[in-house]
Structures are given as C-alpha cells and as structure tokens.
Amino acid sequence: MSAPVATTGSAAPRPDAPDPATLQKLEHALREAVPHGEVAFGKRRRAEYAQDASVYRQVPAAVVLPADTDELAAALAACHGLDVAVTLRGAGTSIAGQAVGDGVVIDTSRSLNRIVEIDAEAHTARVEPGVVLDRLQDACKPHGLRFGPDPSTHARCTIGGMIGNNACGTHSVAWGRTADNIVELEVLTYDGERITLRSLDAEELQHVIDEGGRTGEIHARLRELRDRHLAMLRTEFGRFRRQVSGYSLEHLLPENGFDLAAALVGTEGTCVVVVSATVKLVELPARRTLVALGFSDLPAAGDAARHVLRHDPIACEGLGGDQVAALRRNVPDARPEEMLPEGAGWLLCEFGHADATPDPEAEQARAEALLKDTGAVDVRLVQSPAEQAALWRIREDSSGLATRAPDGSEAWPGWEDSAVPVEHLGDYLRDLARLLDSHGLQGTPYGHFGEGCVHIRIDFDHETAEGVWIFRTFMKDAAELVARHGGTLSGEHGDGQARAEFLPLVYSEQAMEAFGEFKAVWDPENRLNPGILVHPRPADERLRITAGHRPTLQLTTTLALAEDDGDLTKALRRCVGIAKCRTASGGVMCPSYRATGDEKDSTRGRARVLYEMVQGDVITDGWQSEEAAEALDLCLSCKGCKSDCPVGVDMASYKAEFLHHHYKGKRRPASHYALGWLPLWSHLAGLAPSLVNAVTRNKKAAALLKKAGGIAPERPVPPFAGRRFRTSFKKRRNVPAPGSRGKVLLWPDTFTEFMSPEVGRAAVVVLEHAGFEVVLPPDRLCCGLTWHTTGQLDMAKKVLERTLKAVDPYLRQGMPLVGLEPSCTSLFRTDATELFPDDPRAKRLAEQTVTLAELLDQRAPDVDFGRLDDVTALTQTHCHQHATLGSKADDRVLARVGVDSGRLDSGCCGLAGNFGFEDGHYDVSVAVGEQALLPALREAADDTVVLADGYSCRTQITQLSDRRPRHLAELLRDALRGRRGN
C-alpha cells in the first residue's frame, strides 16, 4: 500500500524533530515569546505529551502552554522563525494521532479558556480554543441555550479540539456537526497572518480578494481551486452528514456560501491555528424522554436506525451486549440489565419536547410506534432524568470500556469511527464482523447509529511483526469495505495518522490532489501537524507499542497486577488517553488535577510519565526517576481512577509500586516513617494518650514534632482517645447471649481502636441488636494500609502476613469480617490478593470481608433499627469505598431507618490518609475539599447530620468546618435509642 503521491504546491515530508543547534535557539526564542505561560523542554513534561488517545507515541521536542492568545501567536512566530513543526493540542483525546508530534506541542487547554461573550439574542458565543465543552454548556444553560455537538468526552474536550476533528456526538442527528455550528473563526497561519473567516457571498469574496495581501491571496487561490474542481466537489463531497474524512471542501461551493470557517473545521491542525471561534447555539429542550429499543443483535439495530429517524429523535445511539457486559465487569453497583429492554443490541432514542409538562399517553404511544416500525423485540420508555442519565453513562463510557475486548484482551483504536449512509448501516455491520473474523480479530461496535457512524476498538497486536502486518492489512481491507458501502474512514474523529494513508481508497485522484492544494494554500512549508492528512506517515509507524521492543527497566513487581498478567507495561497501557481524569466534577477521579489543572497531576499524565520511565528512551534512570516521583507527588492514592476510569487504571497501586522501588535501600521522606508507621506509633501513644495529647496541643512541641515527622505545619495533630476501643469492648456491661445470626469478626482498625473508639462501640451495639455475636481478633494486628500507601510493600506484606495467620482460623469457621474503616476494608477486599496472589488465606479474607452496611443488608434485612424520619443527612463517601466497595448497601440500610443518604457526588475530601498530612500538600488538600465537600457543608442546614465512614473524611471535615461528622454505626445506634446525634 503506497501513500498518496506528493500533491502540487505542498512541501514534501522531511524530518520534523529539530536538530540540537536549532533546539538550543528554539528554547531561547520560546522563553522570550512566552514570559507568563510555560515553556518546557524537560523530560517529565515531554513524557506527559508523548501520547494522545491513539495508538501512536512521539515524544515532542518541547511543550508550550501559552498564557494568552498573544503568547500563542508569539510562540508560533518563534517556531516559524526556526522552521520548527507545530502540533496544537486541546484535551489530547484525539484517537487518530493528531495530537502528538516531534516538534513543539502547544497546549491551549490550561489558559486559553475564556468564554469571551455569549449573545443570547443572536444565539451565538465567542470562545477561545481551550474552553472545555461542558463549561460552555454550563454558561449557556441559564439562557436556555447550548452548543449542539456533544461528543462523549464533553466533560474535558475543548472547542478547539472539536474544531480540529469536526466533532459531532450524540445529538448530531438534530443539531449537526461542529462544522454546521461555526459562525466565524479567528485563525493564525504558520507564517503569522491573522485572519477572521466566515461565509462570504460572491461580492464579499471579491472584496476580500481585491484588498490583497496574504488574506486576499488565500481567498483567491481557494476560489480558483473551487472553480477548477467544481464538478468533483459537487459529486464526491457532502454526500451524507458524517462524511468528515479528508478536508470538507464542499464548504467552498457557492451554494454553501464559500464558508472558509466551516471548511477549516476538521482539518486536524494541519492548516491554521485557531485563536477564537464564534459558534452557534441551539435552544435546550424543555423536557426529554428516552426510548430504549432491544433487538436480536447489533446489526438488526443498525437496520432499524433509519426507521427511527422518521420519528424525529434528537439522538439515536447504538449499543451492543459487549458494552453492557464490560460495564457490569468494571463498575461497582452497575446493573445495566435492569435498565435495558430485552435484547442483545439496543438503540437509545432520545426525544426533545418544547413543553415541560409530561404527556405519558403520547410518549407511550410513540414508544409503541417505534417498537412496531423498527421490528424491535422489546421497548422501554424511560422518563426519569436519573434513569436516563444512568443509561447515557453506559453509552458515554463505551470509549473506555471498549478498550478491552470481550475476552479481556487489549483493544485499540485505529478503525475507530467509520461511517456509512444510515440505510447501509446494518449490512455494513455484518460485513465488518465478517472482515474482523477473517483476520482473526475481535471488536465491540457501538456508535451514532442515527447517522451511520460506528465506533469500534479492535484487539490489534502491535507487539509482533505479524500482528502489525495484520493491522495494516485489516486497515486497507476495511477502507475498501467502507468505500463499497458508500462510506468514509472517519465519521467524527478525523483521519490523523491512523487512516490518512488509506484516503485514496475512498477518494478519487482528483480529490486527493485538491487536498494537497488546499493544505498548500494555508501551510506551504508543511509545518503545521506534518504527517497528518496530506503526505501522511504510514499507519504502522510510531506505534506506542513497537514490535520487538523490550523495555529497559526490569519489571519484576511486588504487587501481582493480576488483571494485567503481572506486567507493569501492560497495566500502564490501560491508559488509552480518553482523559476522563481531566473532568472538573462528578465522581472521585482525579482530585489533584481538579485542584491544579496541570496535566502532570492527572491520572493520564502520571501514566504517561511512568510509561516513558519503563520504556527508558526519554526517562532513562528507571525506578530512580525524579520525573516520575514528581508526577506522583500529588497523587492522593484515592483509588478513584480504579472505578471512575473506564479502563480501570489503578494509579494508587502503581504509585505504591514505584515508591517501593524508588526508596529501596535508601532513606525515605520523614513522613513515610511518621505516617507510614502510624499503627505502631498509635499503639505506643495508646499507653499514655493524655501525655501524647498534651504534647501535640502545645504549639512549640507540636511544631517540632511535625517538622521532624514531615507533617504539614498547618495541619493539627488529631487527638488520641482516652481509652482504646478494645478496652471498652472487654469492659462493656450487659453482654448479650450468643447471637441468633452467628458470630462476626469485627475488625478494630488503627483509627477505630485508638482515635475514634466511639465508632467501634456503636458498631457493637448495632451488631448485637441485629443478632450477631461480636468477636474481636487478637491485639496488635493491622491491615498494612499505611505501609502500602507509602510504598513500604515489604513491611506491608509482613504486617498483613501476621494478620492473615491470626484471622484465618475465624474465616475458616465461616465468620464474615466486618470492616468499619473503608480504606482498611478495601485493602482486605482488593489489595490483599495483590500482595499475596497465591495465598488461599488472602482469597478467603477478600471474599469474607464486608462493610457494616453490607452485613446488615445481606444477613439481617428484617431487623428493625427504629426510625429517623426527621433526619436530613449529607453523606461523604470515602474514596476507597467509592472505588472498590460501592454504596448501594449503605443507601438501603439508611432507607430502612427513614434517612435519605443525601450522598455527595463530591469526589475526595482532600485528606486521603497520609496525603493531606504531608508537608507541602496542605494547600492542595484544602483545594480538593473546596471543590464540592466544604461548600456543601457550608450550605447545609444546621441540623443536617453529616455522615462520613472514613476517618480521613471525618478529620478533614472536623478540621475545616464546624461540623461534627458521624459514622453510619453511630447513626444506627441513635436510631435504636430513639434519638438523633447533633
């Protein structure tokens, strides 16, 4: 397969990476050009930007984050002066390789993010390219407006990136592509011309040409290009909505208004740099309903999509059984089968209503009509906004869930978003399945079926020469297949490097020449995103996994990494770059990124740096890498990514593994001894808690203590309880007879034992009331959590080994182990088997560990705890509970006593165990708390009960607010006593 021939007027490919002499001049020029933003030539920052969401990897020469549009222009001028290639980047979620380059990568997302103006009367907004789509939607919502296109990455993708790829999204059936929603673009050419572009009639166009200069020349040459290719443009382009491959030259046609702004949408950063955009806004529906249709298989759903369109939906999305299975596998508490109708393939059909008043009869009639018209096997009408959101979450997370094939193997983009006219969709899906089978490949299709767009990740093997050959062969065959169905290589994500090589299979030679001419008008030296679209690099070049390459770092790990076959490289490859960790709200992930807005503090940024550390090309000192240590410094080990990341990246475990190797055989930070060994110090403090508390309350003594222990000076040291929980347990009065429901082993974690024994006492009252006989394990045991989070894994194993030996006799009797502290409970449920993968005792521990709520919900569902109907609760979910345990049982138990959980979707509290206590982390810790938790506490009524099962959460709330948070056990005890806590 040969690449397209060089096109007229466009510079031929040449090396893109600057030589050492140029690099030195470039650094000086960029630092002068960008005095307020950031210019980075260091290894860590370059490693963060070496990948996007595609299969490609290229470490850039430098990364620039301009502070404003003037610095953007100055940085571009510096690169032009030294003939250095430039790649523009927004959120870095491009899946075809458009956001990586070996010249200078300019990231607009951090600072070029102003919403300049919203004109509600004109239904327009003017924005800078780094504005995240959801921010724009939030700003428009009070006006009853929104920007139409909404890809699944709406919570982090930028408007500039959407312009680059002509993003479409779920509602393009009603509101169109990005190209359909652009009024005006302000752009820079590589040689520095600043131009404002919009649709022009013939008279306006002639006026611009007559004014001359570079702007006039561009318009004249593009008019001449249009006139010369008029017949071809009218027959090959604009045939159906999702034809976005190549350049969208149909916008040059006179009947389309010679709209250069629209024509530049989808050019993938190869022609101009966007400075600002004026976009159209559409009116929000007053109400939405969702009809879910079930079919015998996914191609049958594809056949039905065109029939749905007759009912004027605002969205028509296809979903397969593999997505549902993946969601069930990866997301705690997910029950997709309860929300979807019967079937093995589904269409989610959304309808917008101008009237806010529900009309159940009309909506039911529509659902029944859709069932009849489409031949579906089942239908479900979903009117509840909460249920609608849950179903849309399945669809939105598909881009991440699909990165694992049905058998659990890795799956990759490449043939990601092909599109065909909707009437061909069902047949195309069947042929695509046959093509995959013929190559021995598997994938999980889904997509925007109302517009014939199919997303799929495929289990390509890039590690072997044979696998790469199959990848190339499949891509060629798939391009020929989609062409036979009248379709296109890309339906919304652009061609990038992945597909541009195969454009000659779907476009004529004349069209390919026109692409080259179009590019040459704007960027004759081929310095903007070279290797993309015109003169493309081969699809199998610069793959992130290089066939035959073996990482230089010895990869023997202490943790089993069982889900990734013990392979750290494979674990890090989980991060495909979709960047859900860069979202501003909702869920837990990633609290430090939300506080700093810095790529290095995102889960993705950390994964990229660790990946480069393993590869050994850029970061060459392996486990001793200071770059990796810096990237991991603000990781809270909250485990939010383990559940919130659709591909299950577990950065807390990777951080523990890194710290274990990084500090092996050398002195650790003081906080690792002070906080990592907290269980030992707590036992010692428990011998004389009053004395210890007197020392920590003394300002001078506490200051010295904190300095010696690497503890933040701003952070108060929590007091130790006057009497241990275990002592209270032994001396309690009225010990009941053996419980009718058997024995339970109550785990007295360090925090419950020494700092909040009232939680343990309350739990005993609740458990004994429920009919359980409470048993405590031997003294001086620990789960090893604090050693684990500080990367002292050898010690963590020793501590846990002792615990396994002590508790296994109880577990063998069938006793459940009840955890009160979510972080310790989570360690028993998940991390224990990572430390001891082949130990049956660890497996028993994981299987028999339950939360208090889970025990009461599962084994005592009929117990009456009394009622607290007048209680209003606000619940802060511990990060580890969110990530590994789930909260459904807690909500059901609270409902039994008449309490609405009021569970905050607030992310991490910010303390996160040792993190918030460590010197240098206090400001970030508070900033994380201020994202949602602390404002919610300030807004809550005075009599609201604040629930927080995690000791860290309770400490953060106590220290940063005037609230006295309570554990679930305390609330249930109060219900038993017929009163409520203050």
Side-chain angles (χ1 to χ4, degrees):
M1 180 72 191
S2 59
V5 296
T7 47
T8 305
S10 182
R14 63 186 190 273
D16 298 321
D19 58 50
T22 302
L23 201 60
Q24 188 174 11
K25 295 176 184 175
L26 179 66
E27 182 168 6
H28 177 75
L30 284 174
R31 294 199 186 283
E32 281 199 344
V34 183
H36 305 295
E38 180 182 341
V39 173
F41 282 76
K43 295 177 181 179
R44 194 213 75 228
R45 186 66 89 187
R46 291 164 55 223
E48 293 162 17
Y49 286 79
Q51 298 177 41
D52 51 12
S54 71
V55 297
Y56 299 103
R57 167 179 171 259
Q58 181 58 48
V59 181
V63 176
V64 176
L65 296 97
D68 52 37
T69 55
D70 288 339
E71 287 194 351
L72 171 65
L76 187 64
C79 293
H80 174 253
L82 293 165
D83 194 33
V84 174
V86 172
T87 297
L88 269 292
R89 179 171 171 134
T93 55
S94 296
I95 53 82
Q98 303 100 319
V100 293
D102 49 9
V104 173
V105 171
I106 300 179
D107 182 348
T108 63
S109 66
R110 186 197 286 184
S111 300
L112 276 66
N113 53 17
R114 290 188 309 142
I115 299 173
V116 180
E117 178 188 23
I118 294 175
D119 187 334
E121 187 174 343
H123 284 199
T124 63
R126 185 163 159 253
V127 299
E128 291 181 337
V131 170
V132 170
L133 176 57
D134 270 5
R135 269 197 64 226
L136 176 60
Q137 306 293 39
D138 290 344
C140 294
K141 191 172 183 179
H143 303 287
L145 301 171
R146 59 162 291 154
F147 185 55
D150 57 347
S152 61
T153 53
H154 55 83
R156 60 266 191 200
C157 71
T158 64
I159 300 297
M162 294 176 69
I163 291 169
N165 290 346
N166 200 1
C168 304
T170 300
H171 293 93
S172 63
V173 167
W175 300 322
R177 309 160 299 173
T178 299
D180 303 315
N181 290 275
I182 295 294
V183 177
E184 194 171 86
L185 287 182
E186 181 186 8
V187 302
L188 281 164
T189 61
Y190 181 71
D191 56 7
E193 187 76 5
R194 198 160 183 157
I195 315 173
T196 299
L197 301 166
R198 58 182 176 83
S199 176
L200 300 173
D201 61 28
E203 184 177 340
E204 291 170 327
L205 173 58
Q206 187 61 54
H207 177 72
V208 173
I209 292 171
D210 290 343
E211 285 188 331
R214 177 83 165 105
T215 300
E217 174 204 352
I218 288 170
H219 283 74
R221 290 179 63 186
L222 291 176
R223 183 177 67 177
E224 189 273 333
L225 182 156
R226 177 201 69 187
D227 292 345
R228 190 158 30 85
H229 295 294
L230 205 58
M232 181 271 293
L233 295 180
R234 284 179 170 143
T235 54
E236 285 201 48
F237 290 86
R239 293 179 294 106
F240 65 104
R241 182 81 72 86
R242 287 300 185 102
Q243 183 187 355
V244 304
S245 277
Y247 294 142
S248 298
L249 301 183
E250 71 273 16
H251 296 292
L252 302 180
L253 292 168
E255 59 266 32
N256 292 333
F258 194 80
D259 191 344
L260 293 191
L264 285 170
V265 175
T267 54
E268 305 179 33
T270 62
C271 295
V272 296
V273 172
V274 175
V275 177
S276 71
T278 302
V279 301
K280 298 176 187 176
L281 304 175
V282 298
E283 293 185 1
L284 283 167
R287 180 174 55 89
R288 303 182 193 213
T289 53
L290 183 65
V291 177
L293 296 165
F295 298 87
S296 57
D297 57 25
L298 198 60
D303 290 331
R306 66 183 184 272
H307 302 300
V308 173
L309 299 184
R310 295 202 298 265
H311 293 263
D312 297 322
I314 61 173
C316 178
E317 299 292 288
L319 190 67
D322 290 332
Q323 270 84 26
V324 173
L327 186 76
R328 194 184 302 113
R329 257 191 330 266
N330 293 299
V331 180
D333 297 328
R335 297 290 184 271
E337 64 279 357
E338 297 175 5
M339 298 183 284
L340 289 165
E342 180 184 342
W346 295 272
L347 290 178
L348 303 181
C349 310
E350 186 174 66
F351 297 88
H353 308 278
D355 187 352
T357 304
D359 187 347
E361 289 186 10
E363 295 310 317
Q364 189 60 46
R366 190 202 297 270
E368 291 171 2
L370 282 164
L371 178 67
K372 178 181 178 182
D373 291 352
T374 61
V377 297
D378 196 12
V379 64
R380 181 163 181 249
L381 174 62
V382 184
Q383 297 191 15
S384 158
E387 286 190 82
Q388 290 179 28
L391 275 172
W392 282 126
R393 183 189 174 188
I394 301 174
R395 170 61 187 85
E396 288 187 1
D397 281 353
S398 290
S399 60
L401 296 170
T403 60
R404 294 280 154 166
D407 66 357
S409 59
E410 294 174 292
W412 299 99
W415 193 251
E416 169 70 20
D417 59 305
S418 54
V420 297
V422 66
E423 59 270 19
H424 297 174
L425 180 56
D427 289 338
Y428 172 62
L429 286 167
R430 294 181 184 92
D431 286 347
L432 181 60
R434 284 190 282 269
L435 182 64
L436 286 164
D437 188 59
S438 71
H439 285 278
L441 299 169
Q442 58 178 332
T444 304
Y446 61 99
H448 311 292
F449 279 18
E451 295 207 295
C453 183
V454 178
H455 291 299
I456 187 170
R457 302 284 172 112
I458 300 171
D459 63 336
F460 295 122
D461 168 23
H462 294 154
E463 293 190 273
T464 66
E466 180 185 7
V468 174
W469 180 83
I470 291 173
F471 166 67
R472 273 192 68 83
T473 305
F474 172 83
M475 293 291 288
K476 174 181 176 293
D477 292 347
E480 291 173 342
L481 171 64
V482 82
R484 287 198 299 272
H485 284 279
T488 184
L489 308 179
S490 172
E492 67 177 341
H493 286 306
D495 303 301
Q497 181 179 344
R499 295 181 285 263
E501 180 183 358
F502 306 105
L503 282 170
L505 297 176
V506 295
Y507 283 112
S508 68
E509 184 176 341
Q510 186 183 4
M512 294 303 302
E513 289 175 357
F515 290 161
E517 294 169 17
F518 186 80
K519 159 80 166 172
V521 169
W522 301 99
D523 179 30
E525 296 305 312
N526 193 23
R527 295 286 81 192
L528 289 178
N529 224 0
I532 304 298
L533 286 178
V534 174
H535 297 300
R537 287 185 289 270
D540 55 349
E541 189 178 286
R542 298 184 175 185
L543 294 170
R544 73 162 76 175
I545 308 172
T546 306
H549 175 74
R550 290 292 176 267
T552 59
L553 181 62
Q554 294 300 309
L555 294 177
T556 302
T557 58
T558 301
L559 299 175
L561 302 180
E563 293 182 355
D564 295 294
D565 305 319
D567 185 341
L568 179 59
T569 303
K570 187 176 179 181
L572 292 168
R573 288 203 306 255
R574 280 180 175 272
C575 179
V576 293
I578 59 174
K580 193 174 180 183
C581 49
R582 285 174 55 111
T583 56
S585 62
V588 171
M589 179 182 69
C590 177
S592 50
Y593 174 79
R594 292 178 182 178
T596 68
D598 193 320
E599 177 72 13
K600 85 172 175 67
D601 299 320
S602 68
T603 304
R604 180 179 70 178
R606 296 181 181 115
R608 295 295 185 248
V609 174
L610 287 173
Y611 189 83
E612 293 303 324
M613 178 196 79
V614 170
Q615 296 305 302
D617 298 330
V618 180
I619 297 174
T620 56
D621 43 2
W623 294 118
Q624 302 310 309
S625 167
E626 291 303 320
E627 293 85 6
E630 185 180 4
L632 290 166
D633 178 53
L634 294 185
C635 172
L636 286 80
S637 295
C638 68
K639 285 187 178 288
C641 47
K642 187 172 176 62
S643 62
D644 288 3
C645 174
V647 292
V649 170
D650 185 2
M651 192 53 62
S653 292
Y654 310 158
K655 178 180 181 179
E657 188 71 56
F658 172 80
L659 292 175
H660 171 73
H661 292 278
H662 188 70
Y663 289 110
K664 200 160 192 172
K666 61 183 182 182
R667 186 175 180 179
R668 287 173 164 269
S671 63
H672 287 199
Y673 301 108
L675 301 170
W677 288 67
L678 179 65
L680 175 61
W681 310 137
S682 296
H683 273 278
L684 295 175
L687 299 174
S690 298
L691 176 62
V692 173
N693 291 338
V695 172
T696 58
R697 281 196 296 265
N698 181 283
K699 288 185 179 180
K700 289 184 178 180
L704 291 173
L705 185 68
K706 286 188 277 189
K707 185 174 182 179
I711 297 172
E714 306 92 334
R715 182 68 70 178
V717 178
F720 288 88
R723 187 164 66 166
R724 294 175 56 180
F725 163 61
R726 185 178 295 271
T727 304
S728 302
F729 180 79
K730 290 177 180 178
K731 294 184 176 181
R732 73 193 191 284
R733 301 174 184 175
N734 304 320
V735 179
S740 60
R741 298 180 193 270
K743 297 180 179 180
V744 296
L745 185 65
L746 181 62
W747 180 252
D749 59 87
T750 296
F751 309 106
T752 300
E753 180 70 23
F754 296 103
M755 299 168 183
S756 53
E758 66 277 5
V759 170
R761 293 194 294 268
V764 171
V765 171
V766 170
L767 288 168
E768 291 180 341
H769 172 80
F772 295 103
E773 180 180 347
V774 179
V775 178
L776 298 188
D779 197 4
R780 301 184 68 82
L781 298 179
C782 181
C783 67
L785 171 72
T786 55
W787 285 283
H788 187 283
T789 54
T790 53
Q792 301 178 74
L793 296 182
D794 289 339
M795 190 63 192
K797 290 186 72 169
K798 289 179 182 178
V799 170
L800 186 56
E801 161 67 31
R802 187 167 179 269
T803 294
L804 288 173
K805 183 178 180 180
V807 304
D808 195 55
Y810 300 93
L811 299 178
R812 283 180 176 274
Q813 296 176 41
M815 283 191 210
L817 185 150
V818 181
L820 300 175
E821 169 58 41
S823 55
C824 302
T825 310
S826 174
L827 187 139
F828 284 155
R829 283 263 278 264
T830 59
D831 299 305
T833 53
E834 283 289 299
L835 288 165
F836 294 98
D838 302 317
D839 192 327
R841 298 174 303 173
K843 184 178 180 182
R844 270 191 293 276
L845 179 64
E847 290 173 347
Q848 291 176 227
T849 295
V850 294
T851 67
L852 175 65
E854 287 171 337
L855 182 80
L856 298 176
D857 185 49
Q858 297 163 10
R859 301 200 183 190
D862 55 340
V863 174
D864 180 12
F865 292 103
R867 300 289 293 180
L868 293 172
D869 294 292
D870 59 339
V871 168
T872 300
L874 196 66
T875 304
Q876 168 66 16
T877 307
H878 190 282
C879 299
H880 291 192
Q881 178 159 357
H882 171 88
T884 64
L885 305 173
S887 305
K888 294 294 185 184
D890 299 70
D891 292 342
R892 287 190 290 267
V893 169
L894 285 168
R896 281 163 61 181
V897 296
V899 176
D900 182 340
S901 71
R903 194 167 298 281
L904 291 170
D905 186 16
S906 63
C908 181
C909 72
L911 191 62
N914 59 290
F915 176 85
F917 277 97
E918 291 177 339
D919 193 13
H921 291 170
Y922 182 79
D923 289 343
V924 171
S925 175
V926 174
V928 170
E930 286 290 354
Q931 289 165 12
L933 171 61
L934 297 175
L937 293 174
R938 289 192 289 267
E939 292 169 8
D942 291 343
D943 61 350
T944 299
V945 172
V946 179
L947 287 176
D949 282 4
Y951 178 77
S952 291
C953 302
R954 295 198 300 275
T955 300
Q956 183 82 320
I957 292 168
T958 300
Q959 292 187 353
L960 299 181
S961 78
D962 58 359
R963 301 285 182 164
R964 194 277 193 189
R966 307 174 73 74
H967 191 283
L968 172 65
E970 296 178 280
L971 189 73
L972 293 176
R973 179 204 57 199
D974 291 346
L976 285 172
R977 293 177 176 175
R979 64 178 180 83
R980 57 189 283 184
N982 295 319

